[in-house]
Each structure stands twice: as structure tokens, then as C-alpha cells.
Amino acid sequence: RKEVEQDPGPFNVPEGATVAFNCTYSNSASQSFFWYRQDCRKEPKLLMSVYSSGNEDGRFTAQLNRASQYISLLIRDSKLSDSATYLCVVNKGGKLIFGTGTRLQVFP
Amino acid sequence: EAQVTQNPRYLITVTGKKLTVTCSQNMNHEYMSWYRQDPGLGLRQIYYSMNVEVTDKGDVPEGYKVSRKEKRNFPLILESPSPNQTSLYFCASSPGTGVHEQYFGPGTRLTVT
């Protein structure tokens, strides 16, 4: 079983839609969590950290459920520019473990 | 501009011909790391360095070497490249481990024939 698992997608959604991605992790000792965004053939960039109480940044909301060991990312009012791959990342003992990513395609 | 640079960006080489991919950061970060990214496998860590002269193996270190003689530079060396090292390579740096954002270089696409 992979340490961090994500649905690879693709999720094809129209502009303005709300879309949610989930990610599960296997190590209950994981300490911190992130969502990174990666555009095609480019470097990953931090989208947001995920806090235990949940956090919001504009149209993006991240949630953490430690009991069930999953992390979610909600994108509201999707834009064409949101098309990318979203990587779930877990810090295990100071080392980042990356999921394989969920691909999002927003169409007009 | 704060950044991580890698060179070359693209490289096609032949089996067994030693090569070095350079990585440099201008943010005075202690932590630097090399990853490779392959379809369906995600980003996997090759080597990392917590500071000058301190390096350690990641998940897939076989066939690679690194050095950290200066804080800003962290080159990746393939002494005898093989076709299974064809991949997209990313260098990253951060001010610390884990809880801090990692800043990635633009990537190096390596093909070994």
C-alpha cells in the first residue's frame, strides 16, 4: 500500500463548478500536511498547508481528518487556470512523502 | 529573485557516460533535496542534505551520488547512467525539514539511451 494515496483522475469539470479531492495517508505519526500544485511538466509549488482545524485561502479549502487519516481539498468556483495536477504531501519524520497527484481539467 | 536553478534543463545521453546535474539556490536554505518523478510513481526522494557536508540517502539512491561542499550548491552525479534513470529530476530547497515549504527548481528532463 502506498504511504500517500490519491485518485489520479482526471476530474473534468466546467468553469464555476465546485470540486473536491481526497487523499489518504497510512502513517498515523505524520506530522504536517500540504497541497502542492503542479502544472504540466513544471515544478511543484506549494498551494497551501493543511491545519488540524481546517483552513481556507480564497476559493480553496483544506481539511484534515486525523482519525480517518485523510486530507481533502475543495475548490470553489473553478477557473480555467485551476487546471493542473494537485499533489497531496505528508511530512513523516521530517521527510516529505508525495502522492502521485490528482489531475484537474476545467473546461469552458 | 529567490529561486532554485538547475542545469541542464534537458539532456540526452548514452549509457555509461558520467554526467552531473547542477542545482543552486540563493535563499540561504539549509535543506536541499533531489527527487525524480516518473509516471504513476510520483516524486521520489533520491538524496537530501541537511547542511554543508551532511548528506543522506532518500528512497531511491542507487546509481546516484551527491555532494554539498557549499550551502548554495547540491549537484547530482550519475557515474554510469542507465536507461532506467531516464526521468524528470527536481532539486528542491527549504529553510528546514518537513514543516517548511519546499522550493523546487524547474526540473531536468534526462533521457539515457
Side-chain angles (χ1 to χ4, degrees):
Chain A
R1 185 188 169 191
K2 291 179 181 174
E3 291 191 79
V4 179
E5 295 210 59
Q6 296 182 251
D7 181 341
F11 285 60
N12 297 306
V13 304
E15 273 186 290
T18 295
V19 61
F21 309 136
N22 286 333
C23 161
T24 57
Y25 60 95
S26 60
N27 191 324
S28 60
S30 298
Q31 298 158 304
S32 51
F33 310 88
F34 310 89
W35 283 101
Y36 276 69
R37 171 193 168 128
Q38 185 174 25
D39 293 295
C40 188
R41 296 175 182 268
K42 297 219 169 158
E43 72 273 23
K45 292 184 180 177
L46 180 68
L47 178 67
M48 57 198 301
S49 301
V50 186
Y51 303 122
S52 296
S53 54
N55 49 302
E56 192 173 304
D57 182 1
R59 297 181 293 108
F60 299 85
T61 301
Q63 297 275 358
L64 167 64
N65 185 319
R66 282 191 186 270
S68 301
Q69 294 181 207
Y70 80 79
I71 308 146
S72 65
L73 177 68
L74 182 78
I75 305 175
R76 289 181 299 278
D77 189 22
S78 299
K79 312 289 184 194
L80 294 175
S81 57
D82 293 333
S83 296
T85 296
Y86 291 84
L87 306 176
C88 174
V89 185
V90 170
N91 168 19
K92 186 184 87 168
K95 182 176 152 182
L96 293 187
I97 311 294
F98 287 79
T100 52
T102 297
R103 191 163 144 238
L104 172 66
Q105 185 67 48
V106 182
F107 58 87
Chain B
E1 181 192 352
Q3 60 182 351
V4 179
T5 56
Q6 293 178 230
N7 281 293
R9 296 287 315 279
Y10 302 91
L11 179 60
I12 300 173
T13 190
V14 296
T15 299
K17 186 176 180 182
K18 181 180 178 180
L19 66 92
T20 300
V21 184
T22 64
C23 173
S24 183
Q25 51 93 6
N26 62 1
M27 295 169 279
N28 201 37
H29 286 166
E30 283 81 22
Y31 183 90
M32 296 186 75
S33 182
W34 276 103
Y35 297 89
R36 61 178 288 174
Q37 187 173 34
D38 302 288
L41 296 176
L43 278 154
R44 294 179 293 167
Q45 191 177 51
I46 302 170
Y47 269 95
Y48 64 97
S49 170
M50 306 278 276
N51 216 323
V52 176
E53 301 292 359
V54 180
T55 63
D56 214 340
K57 295 178 180 178
D59 296 315
V60 289
E62 295 78 22
Y64 304 95
K65 283 174 60 176
V66 293
S67 68
R68 187 95 182 271
K69 294 185 171 59
E70 308 163 281
K71 199 171 190 179
R72 62 183 293 128
N73 296 323
F74 190 45
L76 179 70
I77 303 153
L78 285 72
E79 294 270 2
S80 182
S82 62
N84 65 11
Q85 292 178 297
T86 293
S87 188
L88 178 58
Y89 291 86
F90 288 105
C91 179
S93 74
S94 79
T97 59
V99 296
H100 299 279
E101 174 182 1
Q102 288 208 4
Y103 297 81
F104 284 81
T108 295
R109 185 162 291 279
L110 172 66
T111 301
V112 183
T113 62

Tab-separated table of all heavy atoms in Angstrom, chain B residues 53-81:
chain	number	residue	atom	x	y	z
B	53	GLU	N	28.179	19.570	3.934
B	53	GLU	CA	28.895	18.337	4.265
B	53	GLU	C	28.025	17.291	4.955
B	53	GLU	O	28.543	16.294	5.462
B	53	GLU	CB	30.137	18.627	5.131
B	53	GLU	CG	31.151	19.556	4.499
B	53	GLU	CD	31.875	18.982	3.288
B	53	GLU	OE1	31.604	17.814	2.910
B	53	GLU	OE2	32.704	19.685	2.700
B	54	VAL	N	26.711	17.479	4.940
B	54	VAL	CA	25.801	16.496	5.536
B	54	VAL	C	24.821	16.040	4.464
B	54	VAL	O	23.971	16.815	4.014
B	54	VAL	CB	25.009	17.094	6.723
B	54	VAL	CG1	24.071	16.035	7.307
B	54	VAL	CG2	25.944	17.643	7.779
B	55	THR	N	24.967	14.787	4.025
B	55	THR	CA	24.047	14.248	3.022
B	55	THR	C	23.536	12.890	3.476
B	55	THR	O	24.197	12.209	4.276
B	55	THR	CB	24.731	14.090	1.647
B	55	THR	OG1	25.793	13.137	1.756
B	55	THR	CG2	25.275	15.412	1.143
B	56	ASP	N	22.377	12.512	2.963
B	56	ASP	CA	21.812	11.228	3.358
B	56	ASP	C	20.952	10.678	2.240
B	56	ASP	O	20.446	11.436	1.385
B	56	ASP	CB	20.994	11.360	4.635
B	56	ASP	CG	21.083	10.102	5.501
B	56	ASP	OD1	21.433	9.029	4.954
B	56	ASP	OD2	20.796	10.184	6.709
B	57	LYS	N	20.788	9.366	2.245
B	57	LYS	CA	20.020	8.699	1.205
B	57	LYS	C	18.529	8.919	1.390
B	57	LYS	O	18.024	8.931	2.518
B	57	LYS	CB	20.311	7.198	1.234
B	57	LYS	CG	21.743	6.834	0.891
B	57	LYS	CD	21.968	5.334	0.994
B	57	LYS	CE	23.417	4.996	0.656
B	57	LYS	NZ	23.685	3.545	0.793
B	58	GLY	N	17.860	9.057	0.267
B	58	GLY	CA	16.406	9.075	0.272
B	58	GLY	C	15.873	7.688	-0.018
B	58	GLY	O	16.460	6.692	0.394
B	59	ASP	N	14.798	7.629	-0.774
B	59	ASP	CA	14.156	6.343	-1.051
B	59	ASP	C	14.770	5.581	-2.214
B	59	ASP	O	14.703	4.357	-2.269
B	59	ASP	CB	12.671	6.577	-1.350
B	59	ASP	CG	11.932	7.143	-0.165
B	59	ASP	OD1	12.146	6.625	0.956
B	59	ASP	OD2	11.157	8.095	-0.342
B	60	VAL	N	15.364	6.307	-3.160
B	60	VAL	CA	15.888	5.662	-4.374
B	60	VAL	C	17.293	6.151	-4.691
B	60	VAL	O	17.535	6.739	-5.750
B	60	VAL	CB	14.923	5.869	-5.579
B	60	VAL	CG1	13.671	5.054	-5.419
B	60	VAL	CG2	14.590	7.343	-5.758
B	61	PRO	N	18.275	5.922	-3.835
B	61	PRO	CA	19.608	6.481	-4.035
B	61	PRO	C	20.511	5.701	-4.986
B	61	PRO	O	21.560	6.219	-5.416
B	61	PRO	CB	20.197	6.440	-2.626
B	61	PRO	CG	19.561	5.219	-2.015
B	61	PRO	CD	18.148	5.184	-2.579
B	62	GLU	N	20.127	4.469	-5.345
B	62	GLU	CA	21.026	3.615	-6.131
B	62	GLU	C	21.333	4.247	-7.488
B	62	GLU	O	20.429	4.634	-8.223
B	62	GLU	CB	20.407	2.227	-6.341
B	62	GLU	CG	20.213	1.416	-5.074
B	62	GLU	CD	19.006	1.855	-4.266
B	62	GLU	OE1	18.087	2.484	-4.837
B	62	GLU	OE2	18.985	1.601	-3.048
B	63	GLY	N	22.622	4.314	-7.799
B	63	GLY	CA	23.053	4.844	-9.080
B	63	GLY	C	23.316	6.340	-9.074
B	63	GLY	O	23.662	6.903	-10.115
B	64	TYR	N	23.167	6.967	-7.919
B	64	TYR	CA	23.353	8.418	-7.810
B	64	TYR	C	24.357	8.755	-6.711
B	64	TYR	O	24.526	7.999	-5.767
B	64	TYR	CB	22.029	9.107	-7.464
B	64	TYR	CG	20.897	8.827	-8.407
B	64	TYR	CD1	19.980	7.807	-8.134
B	64	TYR	CD2	20.730	9.574	-9.570
B	64	TYR	CE1	18.928	7.531	-8.997
B	64	TYR	CE2	19.682	9.308	-10.439
B	64	TYR	CZ	18.791	8.287	-10.144
B	64	TYR	OH	17.756	8.018	-11.009
B	65	LYS	N	24.992	9.897	-6.878
B	65	LYS	CA	25.836	10.465	-5.831
B	65	LYS	C	25.522	11.943	-5.720
B	65	LYS	O	25.060	12.563	-6.694
B	65	LYS	CB	27.324	10.301	-6.190
B	65	LYS	CG	27.884	8.911	-5.973
B	65	LYS	CD	29.299	8.807	-6.487
B	65	LYS	CE	30.258	9.749	-5.824
B	65	LYS	NZ	31.658	9.567	-6.285
B	66	VAL	N	25.804	12.506	-4.557
B	66	VAL	CA	25.620	13.945	-4.359
B	66	VAL	C	26.798	14.462	-3.531
B	66	VAL	O	27.548	13.679	-2.932
B	66	VAL	CB	24.309	14.295	-3.624
B	66	VAL	CG1	23.095	13.969	-4.478
B	66	VAL	CG2	24.230	13.574	-2.277
B	67	SER	N	26.916	15.773	-3.507
B	67	SER	CA	27.881	16.404	-2.607
B	67	SER	C	27.316	17.750	-2.171
B	67	SER	O	26.482	18.342	-2.865
B	67	SER	CB	29.239	16.585	-3.282
B	67	SER	OG	29.148	17.545	-4.317
B	68	ARG	N	27.753	18.211	-1.018
B	68	ARG	CA	27.305	19.524	-0.532
B	68	ARG	C	28.512	20.224	0.091
B	68	ARG	O	28.695	20.268	1.301
B	68	ARG	CB	26.186	19.340	0.507
B	68	ARG	CG	25.539	20.675	0.929
B	68	ARG	CD	24.324	20.982	0.149
B	68	ARG	NE	23.720	22.253	0.493
B	68	ARG	CZ	22.802	22.430	1.443
B	68	ARG	NH1	22.409	21.393	2.184
B	68	ARG	NH2	22.303	23.607	1.668
B	69	LYS	N	29.310	20.779	-0.777
B	69	LYS	CA	30.527	21.476	-0.321
B	69	LYS	C	30.248	22.935	0.042
B	69	LYS	O	30.965	23.554	0.826
B	69	LYS	CB	31.613	21.404	-1.389
B	69	LYS	CG	32.125	19.983	-1.649
B	69	LYS	CD	33.284	19.991	-2.614
B	69	LYS	CE	33.962	18.627	-2.725
B	69	LYS	NZ	33.058	17.566	-3.173
B	70	GLU	N	29.210	23.484	-0.571
B	70	GLU	CA	28.795	24.855	-0.263
B	70	GLU	C	27.305	24.827	0.008
B	70	GLU	O	26.593	23.968	-0.517
B	70	GLU	CB	29.046	25.778	-1.454
B	70	GLU	CG	30.419	25.762	-2.030
B	70	GLU	CD	30.409	26.376	-3.423
B	70	GLU	OE1	30.016	25.684	-4.368
B	70	GLU	OE2	30.758	27.564	-3.536
B	71	LYS	N	26.859	25.797	0.765
B	71	LYS	CA	25.450	25.808	1.154
B	71	LYS	C	24.537	25.945	-0.064
B	71	LYS	O	23.452	25.362	-0.105
B	71	LYS	CB	25.207	26.970	2.113
B	71	LYS	CG	23.938	26.845	2.930
B	71	LYS	CD	23.910	27.926	3.986
B	71	LYS	CE	22.788	27.688	4.962
B	71	LYS	NZ	22.746	28.712	6.024
B	72	ARG	N	24.934	26.726	-1.040
B	72	ARG	CA	24.037	27.028	-2.143
B	72	ARG	C	23.957	25.944	-3.208
B	72	ARG	O	23.023	25.908	-3.976
B	72	ARG	CB	24.423	28.363	-2.777
B	72	ARG	CG	25.809	28.392	-3.380
B	72	ARG	CD	26.124	29.788	-3.922
B	72	ARG	NE	25.268	30.102	-5.049
B	72	ARG	CZ	24.545	31.230	-5.142
B	72	ARG	NH1	24.577	32.125	-4.172
B	72	ARG	NH2	23.816	31.466	-6.196
B	73	ASN	N	24.949	25.057	-3.277
B	73	ASN	CA	25.012	24.096	-4.377
B	73	ASN	C	24.843	22.649	-3.929
B	73	ASN	O	25.381	22.239	-2.883
B	73	ASN	CB	26.356	24.219	-5.105
B	73	ASN	CG	26.525	25.569	-5.774
B	73	ASN	OD1	25.567	26.120	-6.301
B	73	ASN	ND2	27.739	26.102	-5.742
B	74	PHE	N	24.138	21.887	-4.746
B	74	PHE	CA	23.878	20.482	-4.404
B	74	PHE	C	23.804	19.686	-5.712
B	74	PHE	O	22.722	19.343	-6.192
B	74	PHE	CB	22.566	20.401	-3.616
B	74	PHE	CG	22.292	19.058	-2.994
B	74	PHE	CD1	23.278	18.352	-2.312
B	74	PHE	CD2	21.014	18.507	-3.046
B	74	PHE	CE1	23.015	17.132	-1.720
B	74	PHE	CE2	20.731	17.280	-2.453
B	74	PHE	CZ	21.737	16.594	-1.791
B	75	PRO	N	24.940	19.382	-6.310
B	75	PRO	CA	24.930	18.671	-7.594
B	75	PRO	C	24.556	17.199	-7.468
B	75	PRO	O	24.860	16.549	-6.454
B	75	PRO	CB	26.381	18.818	-8.077
B	75	PRO	CG	27.184	19.009	-6.828
B	75	PRO	CD	26.295	19.747	-5.862
B	76	LEU	N	23.915	16.695	-8.491
B	76	LEU	CA	23.547	15.275	-8.581
B	76	LEU	C	24.434	14.634	-9.641
B	76	LEU	O	24.503	15.120	-10.769
B	76	LEU	CB	22.077	15.141	-8.976
B	76	LEU	CG	21.539	13.717	-9.128
B	76	LEU	CD1	21.436	13.029	-7.768
B	76	LEU	CD2	20.164	13.736	-9.803
B	77	ILE	N	25.088	13.564	-9.268
B	77	ILE	CA	26.054	12.906	-10.157
B	77	ILE	C	25.559	11.502	-10.491
B	77	ILE	O	25.207	10.730	-9.591
B	77	ILE	CB	27.430	12.817	-9.481
B	77	ILE	CG1	27.917	14.217	-9.084
B	77	ILE	CG2	28.456	12.135	-10.398
B	77	ILE	CD1	28.858	14.239	-7.921
B	78	LEU	N	25.573	11.212	-11.793
B	78	LEU	CA	25.290	9.858	-12.252
B	78	LEU	C	26.586	9.321	-12.834
B	78	LEU	O	27.005	9.741	-13.911
B	78	LEU	CB	24.172	9.841	-13.299
B	78	LEU	CG	22.742	10.041	-12.779
B	78	LEU	CD1	22.491	11.473	-12.332
B	78	LEU	CD2	21.735	9.623	-13.850
B	79	GLU	N	27.241	8.448	-12.105
B	79	GLU	CA	28.566	7.971	-12.507
B	79	GLU	C	28.489	7.119	-13.776
B	79	GLU	O	29.334	7.211	-14.655
B	79	GLU	CB	29.186	7.126	-11.388
B	79	GLU	CG	29.511	7.904	-10.121
B	79	GLU	CD	30.926	8.476	-10.137
B	79	GLU	OE1	31.643	8.309	-11.138
B	79	GLU	OE2	31.311	9.103	-9.136
B	80	SER	N	27.463	6.289	-13.873
B	80	SER	CA	27.300	5.414	-15.030
B	80	SER	C	25.807	5.275	-15.322
B	80	SER	O	25.172	4.289	-14.943
B	80	SER	CB	27.931	4.035	-14.748
B	80	SER	OG	27.822	3.195	-15.877
B	81	PRO	N	25.257	6.282	-15.999
B	81	PRO	CA	23.804	6.307	-16.217
B	81	PRO	C	23.306	5.073	-16.964
B	81	PRO	O	23.998	4.521	-17.838
B	81	PRO	CB	23.587	7.572	-17.043
B	81	PRO	CG	24.799	8.398	-16.821
B	81	PRO	CD	25.924	7.448	-16.580
